[in-house]
mmCIF file of all heavy atoms in Angstrom:
data_model
loop_
_atom_site.group_PDB
_atom_site.id
_atom_site.type_symbol
_atom_site.label_atom_id
_atom_site.label_comp_id
_atom_site.label_asym_id
_atom_site.label_seq_id
_atom_site.Cartn_x
_atom_site.Cartn_y
_atom_site.Cartn_z
ATOM 1 N N SER A 1 0.814 -1.214 0.000
ATOM 2 C CA SER A 1 0.000 0.000 0.000
ATOM 3 C C SER A 1 0.849 1.266 0.000
ATOM 4 O O SER A 1 0.306 2.371 -0.053
ATOM 5 C CB SER A 1 -0.916 0.018 1.229
ATOM 6 O OG SER A 1 -0.153 0.168 2.412
ATOM 7 N N GLY A 2 2.158 1.090 0.092
ATOM 8 C CA GLY A 2 3.041 2.227 0.224
ATOM 9 C C GLY A 2 3.281 2.642 1.666
ATOM 10 O O GLY A 2 4.110 3.498 1.951
ATOM 11 N N SER A 3 2.559 2.018 2.602
ATOM 12 C CA SER A 3 2.699 2.339 4.017
ATOM 13 C C SER A 3 3.996 1.754 4.571
ATOM 14 O O SER A 3 4.435 0.672 4.166
ATOM 15 C CB SER A 3 1.512 1.780 4.803
ATOM 16 O OG SER A 3 1.728 1.896 6.194
ATOM 17 N N GLN A 4 4.598 2.453 5.518
ATOM 18 C CA GLN A 4 5.788 1.972 6.208
ATOM 19 C C GLN A 4 5.530 1.831 7.705
ATOM 20 O O GLN A 4 6.447 1.957 8.520
ATOM 21 C CB GLN A 4 6.961 2.923 5.955
ATOM 22 C CG GLN A 4 7.490 2.891 4.529
ATOM 23 C CD GLN A 4 8.000 1.509 4.149
ATOM 24 O OE1 GLN A 4 8.767 0.890 4.888
ATOM 25 N NE2 GLN A 4 7.555 1.010 2.997
ATOM 26 N N THR A 5 4.296 1.518 8.060
ATOM 27 C CA THR A 5 3.933 1.316 9.460
ATOM 28 C C THR A 5 4.163 -0.143 9.839
ATOM 29 O O THR A 5 3.562 -1.050 9.251
ATOM 30 C CB THR A 5 2.456 1.682 9.703
ATOM 31 O OG1 THR A 5 2.244 3.044 9.340
ATOM 32 C CG2 THR A 5 2.088 1.471 11.165
ATOM 33 N N TRP A 6 5.043 -0.344 10.824
ATOM 34 C CA TRP A 6 5.376 -1.683 11.276
ATOM 35 C C TRP A 6 4.859 -1.893 12.689
ATOM 36 O O TRP A 6 4.792 -0.954 13.493
ATOM 37 C CB TRP A 6 6.886 -1.895 11.264
ATOM 38 C CG TRP A 6 7.483 -1.975 9.887
ATOM 39 C CD1 TRP A 6 7.772 -0.923 9.069
ATOM 40 C CD2 TRP A 6 7.845 -3.154 9.187
ATOM 41 N NE1 TRP A 6 8.302 -1.374 7.879
ATOM 42 C CE2 TRP A 6 8.369 -2.734 7.920
ATOM 43 C CE3 TRP A 6 7.807 -4.513 9.473
ATOM 44 C CZ2 TRP A 6 8.834 -3.638 6.976
ATOM 45 C CZ3 TRP A 6 8.273 -5.414 8.528
ATOM 46 C CH2 TRP A 6 8.771 -4.989 7.303
ATOM 47 N N ALA A 7 4.516 -3.147 12.994
ATOM 48 C CA ALA A 7 4.110 -3.533 14.350
ATOM 49 C C ALA A 7 5.128 -4.538 14.881
ATOM 50 O O ALA A 7 5.467 -5.508 14.187
ATOM 51 C CB ALA A 7 2.712 -4.144 14.350
ATOM 52 N N ALA A 8 5.623 -4.317 16.089
ATOM 53 C CA ALA A 8 6.659 -5.166 16.676
ATOM 54 C C ALA A 8 6.049 -6.083 17.740
ATOM 55 O O ALA A 8 5.095 -5.708 18.448
ATOM 56 C CB ALA A 8 7.761 -4.315 17.282
ATOM 57 N N TYR A 9 6.623 -7.295 17.864
ATOM 58 C CA TYR A 9 6.150 -8.289 18.821
ATOM 59 C C TYR A 9 7.352 -9.034 19.408
ATOM 60 O O TYR A 9 8.412 -9.138 18.787
ATOM 61 C CB TYR A 9 5.236 -9.325 18.147
ATOM 62 C CG TYR A 9 4.009 -8.772 17.472
ATOM 63 C CD1 TYR A 9 4.083 -8.235 16.191
ATOM 64 C CD2 TYR A 9 2.772 -8.799 18.104
ATOM 65 C CE1 TYR A 9 2.960 -7.740 15.557
ATOM 66 C CE2 TYR A 9 1.630 -8.307 17.481
ATOM 67 C CZ TYR A 9 1.738 -7.781 16.201
ATOM 68 O OH TYR A 9 0.620 -7.281 15.568
ATOM 69 N N GLU A 10 7.144 -9.596 20.581
ATOM 70 C CA GLU A 10 8.100 -10.507 21.197
ATOM 71 C C GLU A 10 7.328 -11.678 21.771
ATOM 72 O O GLU A 10 6.232 -11.507 22.311
ATOM 73 C CB GLU A 10 8.899 -9.825 22.303
ATOM 74 C CG GLU A 10 9.943 -8.843 21.802
ATOM 75 C CD GLU A 10 10.894 -8.400 22.901
ATOM 76 O OE1 GLU A 10 10.797 -8.950 24.023
ATOM 77 O OE2 GLU A 10 11.734 -7.520 22.640
ATOM 78 N N GLY A 11 7.914 -12.868 21.616
ATOM 79 C CA GLY A 11 7.218 -14.032 22.131
ATOM 80 C C GLY A 11 8.080 -15.269 22.089
ATOM 81 O O GLY A 11 9.313 -15.199 22.099
ATOM 82 N N THR A 12 7.433 -16.410 22.013
ATOM 83 C CA THR A 12 8.108 -17.707 22.066
ATOM 84 C C THR A 12 7.604 -18.601 20.951
ATOM 85 O O THR A 12 6.400 -18.648 20.662
ATOM 86 C CB THR A 12 7.852 -18.396 23.421
ATOM 87 O OG1 THR A 12 8.307 -17.548 24.472
ATOM 88 C CG2 THR A 12 8.573 -19.725 23.499
ATOM 89 N N SER A 13 8.541 -19.310 20.314
ATOM 90 C CA SER A 13 8.205 -20.326 19.319
ATOM 91 C C SER A 13 8.650 -21.689 19.838
ATOM 92 O O SER A 13 9.786 -21.833 20.304
ATOM 93 C CB SER A 13 8.897 -20.053 17.979
ATOM 94 O OG SER A 13 8.430 -18.863 17.396
ATOM 95 N N VAL A 14 7.760 -22.660 19.756
ATOM 96 C CA VAL A 14 8.082 -24.032 20.142
ATOM 97 C C VAL A 14 7.943 -24.900 18.894
ATOM 98 O O VAL A 14 6.884 -24.911 18.242
ATOM 99 C CB VAL A 14 7.154 -24.542 21.267
ATOM 100 C CG1 VAL A 14 7.497 -25.987 21.614
ATOM 101 C CG2 VAL A 14 7.265 -23.647 22.500
ATOM 102 N N VAL A 15 9.013 -25.615 18.543
ATOM 103 C CA VAL A 15 9.044 -26.412 17.315
ATOM 104 C C VAL A 15 9.203 -27.882 17.691
ATOM 105 O O VAL A 15 10.170 -28.265 18.369
ATOM 106 C CB VAL A 15 10.199 -25.982 16.389
ATOM 107 C CG1 VAL A 15 10.117 -26.712 15.057
ATOM 108 C CG2 VAL A 15 10.184 -24.470 16.183
ATOM 109 N N ARG A 16 8.258 -28.706 17.256
ATOM 110 C CA ARG A 16 8.265 -30.127 17.578
ATOM 111 C C ARG A 16 8.460 -30.963 16.323
ATOM 112 O O ARG A 16 7.820 -30.708 15.300
ATOM 113 C CB ARG A 16 6.942 -30.524 18.250
ATOM 114 C CG ARG A 16 6.699 -29.845 19.585
ATOM 115 C CD ARG A 16 5.349 -30.254 20.171
ATOM 116 N NE ARG A 16 5.120 -29.684 21.498
ATOM 117 C CZ ARG A 16 4.615 -28.479 21.712
ATOM 118 N NH1 ARG A 16 4.254 -27.717 20.672
ATOM 119 N NH2 ARG A 16 4.457 -28.027 22.941
ATOM 120 N N LYS A 17 9.338 -31.961 16.412
ATOM 121 C CA LYS A 17 9.606 -32.853 15.282
ATOM 122 C C LYS A 17 8.510 -33.916 15.181
ATOM 123 O O LYS A 17 8.054 -34.472 16.186
ATOM 124 C CB LYS A 17 10.963 -33.529 15.454
ATOM 125 C CG LYS A 17 11.339 -34.481 14.316
ATOM 126 C CD LYS A 17 12.597 -35.272 14.630
ATOM 127 C CE LYS A 17 13.817 -34.404 14.646
ATOM 128 N NZ LYS A 17 15.067 -35.223 14.724
ATOM 129 N N LEU A 18 8.090 -34.204 13.943
ATOM 130 C CA LEU A 18 7.110 -35.256 13.671
ATOM 131 C C LEU A 18 7.670 -36.179 12.594
ATOM 132 O O LEU A 18 8.487 -35.764 11.757
ATOM 133 C CB LEU A 18 5.790 -34.656 13.179
ATOM 134 C CG LEU A 18 5.115 -33.611 14.082
ATOM 135 C CD1 LEU A 18 3.949 -32.964 13.337
ATOM 136 C CD2 LEU A 18 4.628 -34.257 15.369
ATOM 137 N N TRP A 19 7.228 -37.425 12.577
ATOM 138 C CA TRP A 19 7.574 -38.386 11.520
ATOM 139 C C TRP A 19 9.085 -38.469 11.293
ATOM 140 O O TRP A 19 9.563 -38.497 10.164
ATOM 141 C CB TRP A 19 6.872 -38.035 10.211
ATOM 142 C CG TRP A 19 5.386 -38.051 10.275
ATOM 143 C CD1 TRP A 19 4.605 -38.616 11.233
ATOM 144 C CD2 TRP A 19 4.499 -37.448 9.328
ATOM 145 N NE1 TRP A 19 3.285 -38.420 10.945
ATOM 146 C CE2 TRP A 19 3.185 -37.713 9.777
ATOM 147 C CE3 TRP A 19 4.683 -36.731 8.153
ATOM 148 C CZ2 TRP A 19 2.067 -37.275 9.084
ATOM 149 C CZ3 TRP A 19 3.581 -36.294 7.462
ATOM 150 C CH2 TRP A 19 2.289 -36.557 7.923
ATOM 151 N N ASN A 20 9.830 -38.504 12.388
ATOM 152 C CA ASN A 20 11.288 -38.640 12.325
ATOM 153 C C ASN A 20 11.936 -37.548 11.476
ATOM 154 O O ASN A 20 12.935 -37.767 10.784
ATOM 155 C CB ASN A 20 11.689 -40.018 11.784
ATOM 156 C CG ASN A 20 13.161 -40.312 11.983
ATOM 157 O OD1 ASN A 20 13.767 -39.861 12.968
ATOM 158 N ND2 ASN A 20 13.760 -41.043 11.057
ATOM 159 N N GLY A 21 11.365 -36.353 11.515
ATOM 160 C CA GLY A 21 11.962 -35.221 10.811
ATOM 161 C C GLY A 21 11.282 -34.856 9.517
ATOM 162 O O GLY A 21 11.546 -33.790 8.955
ATOM 163 N N ARG A 22 10.394 -35.710 8.999
ATOM 164 C CA ARG A 22 9.747 -35.425 7.721
ATOM 165 C C ARG A 22 8.606 -34.424 7.851
ATOM 166 O O ARG A 22 7.992 -34.044 6.863
ATOM 167 C CB ARG A 22 9.241 -36.718 7.085
ATOM 168 C CG ARG A 22 10.338 -37.719 6.751
ATOM 169 C CD ARG A 22 9.815 -38.867 5.899
ATOM 170 N NE ARG A 22 8.678 -39.527 6.498
ATOM 171 C CZ ARG A 22 8.748 -40.478 7.432
ATOM 172 N NH1 ARG A 22 9.936 -40.853 7.904
ATOM 173 N NH2 ARG A 22 7.665 -41.052 7.906
ATOM 174 N N ALA A 23 8.348 -33.995 9.076
ATOM 175 C CA ALA A 23 7.352 -32.950 9.337
ATOM 176 C C ALA A 23 7.695 -32.328 10.673
ATOM 177 O O ALA A 23 8.408 -32.907 11.500
ATOM 178 C CB ALA A 23 5.938 -33.523 9.357
ATOM 179 N N ASN A 24 7.221 -31.103 10.888
ATOM 180 C CA ASN A 24 7.363 -30.478 12.201
ATOM 181 C C ASN A 24 6.257 -29.448 12.382
ATOM 182 O O ASN A 24 5.641 -29.003 11.411
ATOM 183 C CB ASN A 24 8.752 -29.876 12.399
ATOM 184 C CG ASN A 24 9.087 -28.815 11.377
ATOM 185 O OD1 ASN A 24 8.649 -27.670 11.493
ATOM 186 N ND2 ASN A 24 9.865 -29.174 10.360
ATOM 187 N N LEU A 25 6.038 -29.110 13.617
ATOM 188 C CA LEU A 25 4.949 -28.202 13.973
ATOM 189 C C LEU A 25 5.521 -27.041 14.778
ATOM 190 O O LEU A 25 6.232 -27.244 15.771
ATOM 191 C CB LEU A 25 3.895 -28.938 14.797
ATOM 192 C CG LEU A 25 2.588 -28.194 15.083
ATOM 193 C CD1 LEU A 25 1.807 -27.962 13.797
ATOM 194 C CD2 LEU A 25 1.737 -28.981 16.081
ATOM 195 N N VAL A 26 5.202 -25.823 14.333
ATOM 196 C CA VAL A 26 5.676 -24.613 15.005
ATOM 197 C C VAL A 26 4.488 -23.919 15.669
ATOM 198 O O VAL A 26 3.474 -23.645 15.008
ATOM 199 C CB VAL A 26 6.340 -23.639 14.003
ATOM 200 C CG1 VAL A 26 6.911 -22.435 14.748
ATOM 201 C CG2 VAL A 26 7.408 -24.332 13.186
ATOM 202 N N GLU A 27 4.618 -23.635 16.958
ATOM 203 C CA GLU A 27 3.616 -22.849 17.674
ATOM 204 C C GLU A 27 4.258 -21.539 18.121
ATOM 205 O O GLU A 27 5.224 -21.553 18.885
ATOM 206 C CB GLU A 27 3.102 -23.621 18.884
ATOM 207 C CG GLU A 27 2.315 -24.876 18.544
ATOM 208 C CD GLU A 27 1.833 -25.602 19.794
ATOM 209 O OE1 GLU A 27 0.804 -25.177 20.373
ATOM 210 O OE2 GLU A 27 2.504 -26.567 20.199
ATOM 211 N N LEU A 28 3.735 -20.439 17.627
ATOM 212 C CA LEU A 28 4.257 -19.120 17.959
ATOM 213 C C LEU A 28 3.203 -18.313 18.708
ATOM 214 O O LEU A 28 2.062 -18.197 18.251
ATOM 215 C CB LEU A 28 4.660 -18.369 16.687
ATOM 216 C CG LEU A 28 4.913 -16.862 16.817
ATOM 217 C CD1 LEU A 28 6.102 -16.579 17.732
ATOM 218 C CD2 LEU A 28 5.114 -16.230 15.457
#
């Protein structure tokens, strides 16, 4: 849109391995 308005955040991501590495799930 041409806008330069940014929103900042801080938090936690938890990443779990599935199917011996062939998939994974990220919760942010």
Side-chain angles (χ1 to χ4, degrees):
S1 68
S3 171
Q4 290 299 311
T5 301
W6 290 79
Y9 301 82
E10 287 191 6
T12 302
S13 295
V14 179
V15 186
R16 297 178 176 86
K17 180 188 291 190
L18 304 171
W19 299 344
N20 192 32
R22 298 190 306 277
N24 60 79
L25 189 66
V26 184
E27 294 180 80
L28 166 64

